[in-house]
Amino acid sequence: MSLPATPKIPFGGDYNPEQWPPEVWKDDYRLFDTARIDTVTVGVFTWALTQPAADVHDFSTLDRIVAEAEEQGRRIVLATGTGAHPAWLARAHPEVTRTDFEGRRHRYGQRHNSCPNSPVFRRLSAEVAGRIAERYAGRPPVIAWHVGNEYGGACYCERCAAGFRVWLRARYRTLDALNSAWCTAFWSHTFSDWEEIEPPSALTEHWRGPDHTAFQGITLDYLRFMSDAMLANFRDEKAAIRRHSPDTPVTTNFMGMYRPIDYHRWAPHLDFASWDNYPPEDAGPAWAALSHDLMRGLKDGLPFWVMEQAPTTTACRDVNPVKRPGVMRLWSWQAVAHGADAVLYFQMRASRGASEKYFGAVINHAGRDDTRVFREVAALGEELERFGDVALGARTPARVALLFDWDSWWTLEISDGPSRLVRYQQVVLAYYRALWEAGVDVDVVAVTADLSGYDVVVAPALHMLKGDLPQRLEDVARRGGSVLATYLSGRVDESDNAFLSDVPGPLGPLMGIRIDEWDARGADVVNPVRLQAGGEVLEAGARLVFELVVPQGAETLGAYGADFYAGTPAVTRNSFGAGHGWYVATGLDQPGVDWVVRQVLAAHGIAGRVPELPCVESAVRVAPDGTRLLFLLNHGDEAVEFAAPAAGVDLLTGARTEQGGTLALAGYGVAVLREDG
Ligand code: GLA
Ligand code: ZN
């Protein structure tokens, strides 16, 4: 099973009409028609509405919402409503609330607050999902099921402790295997009974916070266990849905680069991937591009949905700026460019009260159709309607893969040493950004992905090496490809124990180096690195971590300029088979990373499409019928002109462009060229 079948890119989003009297709904429907809103996500927080007490079920409001959508021909993504549990449930069964990292058992409040290992929660949430599916399965408007909402967080209660022990028994079978994996000979931790094992929290292994642990192996397994426990919650509900609805696709809304949940382990259980795109302030356009590519990688390159994005301002941050005119449209097209087959918002109408009443909405509190935001949404709705189905199902033809690995993320950031200043997302983003600025399509994939089709594989901060990955990376190079790895890669096995060999462990032969020791310095210490290959020279700066490389066959492309290791390699390239292993042993600044990535791409003749304008993003999607769509997006606020990288018709304006002809984009402007076939 795959994505919901739709005649065009679904446009709309979260709609919570239960907050208003039905008179208001009429206005909503009129405004939806004006804005070409054809799809609404309904029921995300309706548990208390449909089950107001343990033995009372009331579907009257939801029935009406579904019936009216049906009358209007609007499509529905129907949620199970379990993103927040009702107050009566927490009162009757205090075990459904979570116990936090500090060991405090929470009382009723907030949302996303259910203990994933509470048997009562598991049973009742599945029952809710089953009842919703039973009642609405097969109704024409229902095109997808939306389970829960933004799964995340963690619980440390007694039931989770017991669940952890069960999970560990399944993983390790024997205490000997567990003691070995966790290196419990250290600090006299040898466990002689499964019941002795405690969840790693502020009361047990941790000091200072969730990233500071005495036993990385224990904390790593708890992260894996929590991710799996919430996956079990998702699967409980999905199974309940499937009993009534055998073939309507099921998803849940992910959060892109969200650390607590290993989306690669979840992905096989979703029929299609969807996510909520809320870029951090000042993240830059590469952040969202990377997140989209990561989400597309979850289902083997199949399109995904943007389940939520803000039409304008957020509300949860300290300062919540509006999206500048044109930016919402630009980011919507950016999503489509990277493989989104749906453009949905949170939210349709601004909440009347509580914490999200100032969160931007398509329709404001006054219900106006002449606000700037509404006009921009309506204009995009019209544009997407004209755009039609041409991009649906289209794939990204990437020759470059970037490996993204939750285990590496976790182990890098819970590690004591060498530096707390190295953040996984920042390292990944620096390398992704270099590819993005080069205008190259990238698949962001799991370490288990098939790498045989790629010319270039980039592995930033791949701290953990598992399974046959080292061999598969060697295969990439052996057949002529390039593998680019960075500092702090190849350090630990899947239990977070150091390899008993030279660093970078099993990557050593491919990289043709060994690391003798590694230095870490404060953020203000910069070691100059002179990069040189052929005639291309760049003076870059390096920060945070400085690995001391002893070449074992690799050639030096850049050397440190300062400290006792001045003159020793910082960047290397090793011939391996018909290809190369490239290694960056330090935290190069962005120009340095860009330089290395450019060398790698050049070795494979992979060139950017609009190299002279870094603010112009380009991405290609190839439709099932072979149609090639070239998306060109100007992230700058000023108009630009450049030579068209291909000939074709801009599907947004109907204008024809010849290859090399002048293409003009307004500030935040977009063109989608259907390339001549
Ligand atoms: C998330 C949630 C929504 C809403 C928005 C806005 O994405 O899924 O319910 O809270 O954020 O904050
Ligand atoms: Zn719990």
Side-chain angles (χ1 to χ4, degrees):
M1 193 170 311
S2 179
L3 289 113
T6 59
K8 61 175 277 288
I9 292 174
F11 185 60
D14 275 45
Y15 180 47
N16 306 304
E18 63 275 11
Q19 291 181 24
W20 296 275
E23 304 84 80
V24 177
W25 303 6
K26 299 261 173 328
D27 290 333
D28 294 337
Y29 302 151
R30 178 177 53 80
L31 295 167
F32 290 173
D33 286 341
T34 309
R36 284 13 181 223
I37 283 163
D38 50 38
T39 305
V40 285
T41 306
V42 167
V44 180
F45 298 105
T46 49
W47 191 339
L49 178 75
T50 62
Q51 190 178 12
D55 47 5
V56 180
H57 302 288
D58 177 359
F59 291 97
S60 52
T61 305
L62 203 50
D63 281 353
R64 184 162 172 183
I65 295 168
V66 173
E68 294 186 1
E70 187 161 357
E71 275 162 37
Q72 299 153 17
R74 245 177 285 280
R75 294 181 192 85
I76 291 181
V77 176
L78 191 51
T80 56
T82 52
H85 56 232
W88 61 259
L89 175 57
R91 181 158 177 239
H93 303 281
E95 62 151 277
V96 302
T97 58
R98 288 184 187 172
T99 295
D100 67 20
F101 177 74
E102 273 80 30
R104 298 174 301 182
R105 149 85 62 205
H106 283 212
R107 299 170 66 91
Y108 179 69
Q110 297 240 10
R111 63 169 176 174
H112 304 158
N113 50 358
S114 310
C115 164
N117 289 294
S118 150
V120 173
F121 173 75
R122 292 192 63 176
R123 182 168 52 82
L124 295 188
S125 58
E127 283 178 16
V128 178
R131 273 194 302 273
I132 299 277
E134 182 177 22
R135 195 167 186 92
Y136 302 107
R139 293 286 292 275
V142 178
I143 57 166
W145 302 107
H146 176 303
V147 173
N149 191 65
E150 294 194 332
Y151 282 92
C155 180
Y156 298 85
C157 74
E158 280 307 319
R159 286 184 175 77
C160 286
F164 186 39
R165 292 178 200 121
V166 171
W167 186 92
L168 291 168
R169 276 175 188 261
R171 181 175 175 82
Y172 294 108
R173 308 270 168 214
T174 67
L175 279 172
D176 280 353
L178 173 134
N179 280 311
S180 163
W182 286 358
C183 193
T184 53
F186 179 74
W187 287 1
S188 193
H189 263 51
T190 307
F191 293 104
S192 51
D193 191 312
W194 296 95
E195 293 304 311
E196 293 162 1
I197 296 167
E198 297 278 358
S201 73
L203 303 180
T204 61
E205 299 298 352
H206 281 251
W207 51 287
R208 204 186 291 171
D211 284 355
H212 292 69
T213 175
F215 277 81
Q216 278 68 21
I218 302 180
T219 298
L220 170 64
D221 273 345
Y222 204 70
L223 286 160
R224 289 166 168 163
F225 161 68
M226 263 301 135
S227 179
D228 282 0
M230 285 182 211
L231 173 57
N233 294 168
F234 170 84
R235 295 181 66 189
D236 289 344
E237 291 195 38
K238 185 177 176 189
I241 291 170
R242 276 287 167 261
R243 277 198 281 282
H244 306 284
S245 171
D247 44 25
T248 300
V250 179
T251 192
T252 183
N253 48 344
F254 284 162
M255 289 178 275
M257 286 184 283
Y258 177 66
R259 201 180 80 162
I261 303 279
D262 184 342
Y263 291 145
H264 287 134
R265 288 168 72 106
W266 278 56
H269 303 282
L270 273 63
D271 296 319
F272 67 106
S274 68
W275 83 288
D276 301 345
N277 181 21
Y278 297 108
E281 250 359 274
D282 305 323
W287 183 92
L290 165 55
S291 306
H292 289 309
D293 289 352
L294 175 66
M295 296 295 102
R296 192 183 70 244
L298 295 178
K299 299 297 278 184
D300 222 6
L302 275 178
F304 58 91
W305 278 22
V306 169
M307 190 63 89
E308 299 180 19
Q309 64 170 340
T312 174
T313 174
T314 55
C316 47
R317 301 175 182 167
D318 286 355
V319 175
N320 299 278
V322 297
K323 285 187 178 169
R324 275 34 215 170
V327 169
M328 183 278 295
R329 170 178 180 258
L330 173 72
W331 290 4
S332 301
W333 282 112
Q334 183 189 31
V336 176
H338 285 269
D341 268 4
V343 174
L344 303 171
Y345 300 102
F346 181 89
Q347 53 191 337
M348 292 297 100
R349 180 181 276 269
S351 293
R352 212 163 63 75
S355 66
E356 293 186 346
K357 68 178 177 297
Y358 295 138
F359 195 96
V362 172
I363 304 168
N364 71 2
H365 290 131
R368 300 195 72 92
D369 62 4
D370 58 357
T371 62
R372 175 184 70 87
V373 170
F374 186 84
R375 282 198 302 261
E376 285 197 33
V377 168
L380 180 61
E382 208 250 299
E383 194 168 47
L384 285 168
E385 193 169 272
R386 273 189 285 116
F387 191 72
D389 66 353
V390 59
L392 294 181
R395 299 278 198 143
T396 303
R399 293 171 60 193
V400 178
L402 183 142
L403 301 184
F404 194 100
D405 182 40
W406 263 267
D407 277 336
S408 287
W409 190 353
W410 290 335
T411 53
L412 188 82
E413 296 191 353
I414 62 174
S415 177
D416 274 354
S419 172
R420 293 273 176 192
L421 301 182
V422 177
R423 308 304 293 171
Y424 181 73
Q425 269 197 76
Q426 285 173 11
V427 183
V428 172
L429 188 57
Y431 283 81
Y432 181 87
R433 195 174 142 189
L435 294 161
W436 183 87
E437 283 180 1
V440 169
D441 298 316
V442 182
D443 282 344
V444 177
V445 299
V447 293
T448 49
D450 176 7
L451 303 177
S452 61
Y454 297 106
D455 295 322
V456 175
V457 176
V458 183
L462 190 62
H463 200 63
M464 179 182 290
L465 279 182
K466 290 171 283 200
D468 63 352
L469 180 62
Q471 288 78 44
R472 288 186 296 113
L473 290 172
E474 287 185 0
D475 288 344
V476 171
R478 200 170 281 119
R479 61 173 167 75
S482 283
V483 177
L484 169 57
T486 76
Y487 61 111
L488 296 178
S489 292
R491 293 299 185 114
V492 297
D493 65 17
E494 67 169 330
S495 301
D496 197 43
N497 290 310
F499 290 114
L500 300 181
S501 63
D502 287 325
V503 174
L507 285 180
L510 171 56
M511 295 300 149
I513 55 167
R514 78 170 177 85
I515 311 291
D516 194 59
E517 58 177 329
W518 47 90
D519 193 14
R521 304 297 304 275
D524 50 334
V525 176
V526 178
N527 196 317
V529 172
R530 185 181 165 83
L531 297 160
Q532 186 161 15
E536 276 212 62
V537 181
L538 182 83
E539 301 286 347
R543 289 164 60 245
L544 304 185
V545 168
F546 311 89
E547 293 178 339
L548 274 60
V549 176
V550 181
Q552 310 283 297
E555 59 180 310
T556 301
L557 301 182
Y560 294 115
D563 221 314
F564 74 92
Y565 37 90
T568 69
V571 179
T572 58
R573 176 177 56 200
N574 185 46
S575 292
F576 190 94
H580 290 98
W582 309 64
Y583 194 81
V584 179
T586 182
L588 285 182
D589 57 18
Q590 192 66 46
V593 173
D594 293 349
W595 185 93
V596 175
V597 167
R598 271 203 313 273
Q599 306 304 314
V600 176
L601 294 174
H604 298 276
I606 302 176
R609 302 184 188 95
V610 194
E612 70 278 15
L613 289 172
C615 63
V616 174
E617 174 175 15
S618 76
V620 168
R621 289 183 71 181
V622 180
D625 68 359
T627 304
R628 248 179 98 89
L629 300 170
L630 170 60
F631 295 80
L632 295 159
L633 307 129
N634 179 13
H635 289 275
D637 58 3
E638 285 178 17
V640 291
E641 284 191 355
F642 52 93
V649 174
D650 181 355
L651 296 176
L652 306 185
T653 61
R656 245 207 86 75
T657 312
E658 296 311 321
Q659 181 159 11
T662 301
L663 222 154
L665 290 179
Y668 303 133
V670 181
V672 185
L673 287 193
R674 187 181 58 214
E675 294 186 15
D676 293 352

